[in-house]
Amino acid sequence: MRVRVDPVKCQGYLICTELAAGHFSIDDWGFAQALQIDVDDTDVDGVTEAIHECPVRAIRWIDGPPTGGATPRPAPPGT
């Protein structure tokens, strides 16, 4: 599973950084950002709680393969 923080919605409450510190950090302006978007099964509960506790609903689950498991693009022809 993957998680995303919407930088436009985030108001800097930072509840997520307390509930799932391994996945969220504070940027230079005091807003939350996803530090680690790939969420292991052991961390799902903490990240889910952070999603539900966000007062402005700036955090959500996103679809897609884990970033560490992304398949590299093939080289263009003729290179």
Side-chain angles (χ1 to χ4, degrees), residues 5 10 14 16-17 23-28 31-36:
V5 177
C10 180
L14 304 177
C16 57
T17 61
H23 289 278
F24 302 100
S25 66
I26 304 168
D27 68 12
D28 293 340
F31 297 102
Q33 62 182 2
L35 178 65
Q36 178 180 343

Side-chain angles (χ1 to χ4, degrees), residues 3-4 14 40:
V3 68
R4 179 181 189 276
L14 304 177
D40 295 327

Side-chain angles (χ1 to χ4, degrees), residues 8-79:
V8 175
K9 286 185 178 180
C10 180
Q11 297 295 305
Y13 289 99
L14 304 177
I15 297 168
C16 57
T17 61
E18 295 173 18
L19 296 173
H23 289 278
F24 302 100
S25 66
I26 304 168
D27 68 12
D28 293 340
W29 297 276
F31 297 102
Q33 62 182 2
L35 178 65
Q36 178 180 343
I37 64 170
D38 296 324
V39 180
D40 295 327
D41 291 340
T42 57
D43 298 328
V44 168
D45 290 342
V47 173
T48 300
E49 186 176 2
I51 290 170
H52 289 122
E53 294 296 322
C54 180
V56 293
R57 302 292 182 242
I59 310 166
R60 64 184 172 92
W61 292 114
I62 58 175
D63 293 326
T67 55
T71 306
R73 292 183 180 175
T79 56

